[in-house]
Amino acid sequence: MFSTLPFLSLILISFVSLNYGQVITGVSPTSGKASTFINVALTGTGFPTSSITISYILGTSIVNCKTSTAGTATSCTCQTNKDITAGDSVAFRVGSGPWSPRNFTATSSASACAAGSFITDTGACSPCSAGTYNNLVDYTKCTTCPAGNFSSSGASICTQCSINTYSSSSASSCTACPAGSTSPAGSISSNNCTVCPRGSAVVFGICSLCSKGNFSSSASSTSCSTCPINTYTNITGSTTCASCTTGSTSPAGSISTLNCTMCPAGSAVVSGVCSLCFAGNYSTSSGSTICSICAINTYSSVNGATFCNQCPTGTTSLMGSKSVLNCTSCPAGSAVIDGVCTFCAAGNFTSTKNSTACSVCAANTFSSINVTTCTLCAAGSTSSVGSTSCDVCPAGSAVVAGVC
């Protein structure tokens, strides 16, 4: 038996024209190693109606080279499985005809079929198809890439699938794992794709725990989320962030309770941010979640106020006043009552503005609402203190010292 040599150069020996039944001689190359492949052509007339075989003999081994189609000419590439060197003799026959030598008339120069290709039955050099490879020169077949590898057309080696991809055998490319999952290099199935658990995400192709100040609340995350403002996490692999104490704030991505800062007096947490109270508002203590509105008859004219100023005596203002100019004087005939500028009731009066109370009409006088002075009773009539009208003395009486 002949051993197959792994690295072979190829000489395409010029085709030999044969008539059916003729005997062909082997080749005696002029020098050096020729090839293990010899091209033979069968031409002419008189082919039988049944199929015929071109065969060759080298040493003591007889090998059928190719069976022709019935009734037609044929050609073939015969592989001898042995290097042909100067002095060797290779004999051919057609069908069952006799063996007889005949020298070849010419040989061609060597032309190697490179790695990544293979020699076909016709002696042509063809690239390996995608999903196969051949790392030998002058070889007759390509090998299937194993699972976990791939190749493109004309490959001399298979390439291992990278991390987070996989392939079955004969693959021309690798398939990506589902988003949020990873696999080691050379994976052979989607079963090798592992889902990243909560608290982790795929980072640079690797399932990694979320760092402090970040979290992932669901499995298969492709990135970790930053803790929002007013929250924090001080551990790796967090699935959620803890809230800062009420009335305190922190920047996004905080990693500790030390990042949670109490809002000072004069400010409050507004939309998650520690903000100064606007003019007309105030907060008296730190950690406030809202600013309070200045009450009536008070005001604050600056942002960040910790208290509201009282309006001047006898003046009033609406809630949320922003300036002393919002403090309005009560006119004569009225007074500040329960913080509101109120008309004096009948039987009462004020003679000046900015009063804080109405005065009661004296005896033998009276008044209606909102007056600046009380009116004396008419002659022959009297009234008690705070009267709204006068009573006429009855007949037979008179007003003495203000009394009937």
Side-chain angles (χ1 to χ4, degrees):
M1 297 297 292
F2 302 110
S3 60
T4 302
L5 299 177
F7 298 99
L8 305 171
S9 61
L10 174 62
I11 288 184
L12 299 180
I13 301 176
S14 54
F15 283 97
V16 179
S17 297
L18 309 172
N19 289 321
Y20 172 64
Q22 280 189 302
V23 175
I24 318 160
T25 337
V27 64
S28 296
T30 56
S31 65
K33 185 182 298 183
S35 176
T36 59
F37 293 91
I38 303 174
N39 289 333
V40 180
L42 179 62
T43 61
T45 59
F47 296 107
T49 56
S50 61
S51 63
I52 58 175
T53 300
I54 298 175
S55 304
Y56 72 86
I57 184 170
L58 177 61
T60 59
S61 298
I62 299 176
V63 181
N64 290 332
C65 181
K66 183 177 181 180
T67 300
S68 72
T69 304
T72 62
T74 189
S75 64
C76 70
T77 298
C78 296
Q79 183 176 8
T80 64
N81 292 325
K82 181 179 186 298
D83 287 336
I84 302 170
T85 58
D88 285 339
S89 177
V90 181
F92 293 85
R93 69 179 178 183
V94 179
S96 57
W99 298 98
S100 179
R102 179 180 172 185
N103 290 332
F104 288 102
T105 58
T107 62
S108 67
S109 60
S111 176
C113 191
S117 303
F118 71 103
I119 301 173
T120 66
D121 288 343
T122 62
C125 189
S126 180
C128 293
S129 60
T132 66
Y133 75 102
N134 173 32
N135 61 355
L136 304 176
V137 177
D138 290 343
Y139 208 59
T140 57
K141 67 177 181 178
C142 297
T143 304
T144 297
C145 288
N149 295 266
F150 75 99
S151 72
S152 55
S153 177
S156 60
I157 60 171
C158 295
T159 303
Q160 187 181 56
C161 290
S162 60
I163 58 173
N164 305 336
T165 66
Y166 64 93
S167 77
S168 56
S169 61
S170 304
S172 60
S173 62
C174 299
T175 303
C177 286
S181 62
T182 61
S183 68
S187 292
I188 64 174
S189 166
S190 60
N191 293 333
N192 299 126
C193 299
T194 303
V195 173
C196 285
R198 298 170 64 219
S200 65
V202 178
V203 180
F204 298 117
I206 299 173
C207 202
S208 304
L209 292 176
C210 296
S211 59
K212 294 178 180 180
N214 297 271
F215 74 103
S216 72
S217 58
S218 59
S220 303
S221 294
T222 56
S223 63
C224 295
S225 300
T226 302
C227 288
I229 56 174
N230 305 335
T231 66
Y232 69 94
T233 176
N234 56 3
I235 60 174
T236 57
S238 293
T239 60
T240 186
C241 300
S243 297
C244 287
T245 304
T246 301
S248 63
T249 62
S250 68
S254 291
I255 63 173
S256 168
T257 55
L258 298 177
N259 299 126
C260 298
T261 305
M262 278 289 182
C263 287
S267 64
V269 179
V270 180
S271 299
V273 179
C274 201
S275 302
L276 292 176
C277 296
F278 294 129
N281 298 267
Y282 72 103
S283 70
T284 59
S285 60
S286 62
S288 296
T289 56
I290 59 171
C291 293
S292 301
I293 299 175
C294 288
I296 57 174
N297 303 334
T298 66
Y299 68 94
S300 70
S301 56
V302 296
N303 293 335
T306 60
F307 63 93
C308 296
N309 300 293
Q310 288 290 329
C311 284
T313 301
T315 63
T316 62
S317 67
L318 300 176
M319 292 179 63
S321 291
K322 301 177 182 180
S323 169
V324 68
L325 298 178
N326 298 128
C327 298
T328 305
S329 296
C330 279
S334 64
V336 178
I337 300 174
D338 295 330
V340 179
C341 197
T342 306
F343 290 147
C344 291
N348 295 267
F349 75 102
T350 58
S351 58
T352 60
K353 66 179 182 179
N354 296 347
S355 297
T356 57
C358 294
S359 300
V360 179
C361 289
N364 298 323
T365 66
F366 70 96
S367 74
S368 59
I369 190 173
N370 188 27
V371 297
T372 60
T373 185
C374 297
T375 304
L376 288 171
C377 291
S381 62
T382 62
S383 67
S384 59
V385 174
S387 292
T388 59
S389 63
C390 295
D391 298 320
V392 177
C393 288
S397 66
V399 176
V400 178
V403 178
C404 286

